[in-house]
């Protein structure tokens, strides 16, 4: 059995702004993010995911997409401080 996906320790806080990026060296183009957070991610012609808006309001759907990425390619940090939202620090 595999390791369950990591979960963010903190919940989405109203008023927070996030920086969302996808590590293209990890992305396998599963499109789970596109399906879980419709309109927040897109696949390019190489089947690699990109955030539609790299700077966005905190959003449960975006966090869920990151948590369910099969290769944890989605990184979310707080804008300004750079504090990790996902993946959580160990």
């Amino acid at each position: 059995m595999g390791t369950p996906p990591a979960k963010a320790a903190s919940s989405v806080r109203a008023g927070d702004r996030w920086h969302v990026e996808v590590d293209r060296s990890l992305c396998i183009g599963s499109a789970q993010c596109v399906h879980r957070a419709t309109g927040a991610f897109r696949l390019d012609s190489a089947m690699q995911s990109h955030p539609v808006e790299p700077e966005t309001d905190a959003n449960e759907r975006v966090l869920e997409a990151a948590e369910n990425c099969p290769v944890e390619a989605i990184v979310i940090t707080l804008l300004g401080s750079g504090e990790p939202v996902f993946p959580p620090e160990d």
Side-chain angles (χ1 to χ4, degrees):
M1 296 199 171
T3 304
K7 298 289 181 188
S10 61
S11 62
V12 175
R13 295 185 307 241
D16 280 354
R17 297 270 302 155
W18 289 347
H19 176 76
V20 180
E21 61 185 288
V22 176
D23 184 335
R24 293 182 58 126
S25 70
L26 295 176
C27 181
I28 60 172
S30 72
Q32 290 296 313
C33 55
V34 174
H35 297 295
R36 290 186 182 272
T38 303
F41 295 92
R42 65 176 176 80
L43 295 181
D44 64 16
S45 61
M47 296 302 290
Q48 297 252 280
S49 177
H50 299 271
V52 173
E53 295 290 332
E55 295 182 0
T56 187
D57 291 331
N59 180 309
E60 283 288 344
R61 294 179 311 124
V62 170
L63 180 59
E64 183 180 323
E67 290 174 340
N68 288 283
C69 175
V71 294
E72 291 189 5
I74 302 170
V75 176
I76 305 171
T77 56
L78 283 175
L79 264 180
S81 72
E83 179 183 337
V85 174
F86 190 87
E89 291 183 317
D90 292 329

